[in-house]
Amino acid sequence: MAIRLNETALRHARSLVRDGAVKRDERDDWSEHAPSADEENAFIEEHGWTEYRHWHLGFDDDANPETKEAYSFPYGDFRKVHRCAVISLEGRAGQYDHDDIRDASKKLLELIDAE
């Protein structure tokens, strides 16, 4: 598994933050705010895999890009960036030694908190 930083998703997240599409929620809210599997499937059905990819900071080059397995480290609910998601993914990325994703999420959190 070769998970790398999804630069396109990072640019998308930054753009959303700058446009004010942010939910400034608390650290532990992501378990309640994360899209369900049914919501993910509906999003993919309506918007396709490319748009789904834009909502995940991690991408696995070894996985089929038309499977959920290829995507990790979600940062929002397909409408807004969630502060709690960014905090959560920063911790998980650090825990699993994905330093580039951890560092990018830390900067994204700083951008959220500065707005």
Side-chain angles (χ1 to χ4, degrees), residues 16-114:
L16 288 167
V17 171
R18 288 186 193 109
D19 290 344
V22 177
K23 181 146 180 79
R24 289 178 172 78
D25 38 19
E26 298 300 318
R27 173 182 295 272
D28 297 327
D29 289 342
W30 185 236
S31 61
E32 294 175 24
H33 294 180
S36 67
D38 287 341
E39 290 169 325
E40 289 179 331
N41 293 340
F43 184 86
I44 294 164
E45 182 71 27
E46 184 174 341
H47 301 282
W49 288 103
T50 300
E51 288 301 312
Y52 183 77
R53 180 179 181 161
H54 289 167
W55 288 91
H56 296 80
L57 291 187
F59 179 70
D60 185 345
D61 289 320
D62 295 335
N64 179 338
E66 292 193 0
T67 63
K68 290 181 185 178
E69 178 185 9
Y71 308 99
S72 56
F73 302 106
Y75 63 82
D77 63 2
F78 307 124
R79 291 176 295 281
K80 292 184 175 185
V81 175
H82 280 249
R83 185 177 184 276
C84 62
V86 176
I87 293 169
S88 175
L89 76 87
E90 179 187 356
R92 283 186 301 115
Q95 180 180 5
Y96 293 102
D97 297 322
H98 299 296
D99 296 341
D100 54 345
I101 297 170
R102 181 203 60 214
D103 295 346
S105 62
K106 184 175 182 175
K107 289 178 184 174
L108 183 59
L109 184 60
E110 290 170 358
L111 181 63
I112 290 168
D113 290 343

Side-chain angles (χ1 to χ4, degrees), residues 1-22:
M1 191 159 40
I3 296 175
R4 64 175 172 80
L5 176 62
N6 180 351
E7 295 282 350
T8 303
L10 181 58
R11 284 191 298 275
H12 183 246
R14 287 179 184 147
S15 176
L16 288 167
V17 171
R18 288 186 193 109
D19 290 344
V22 177

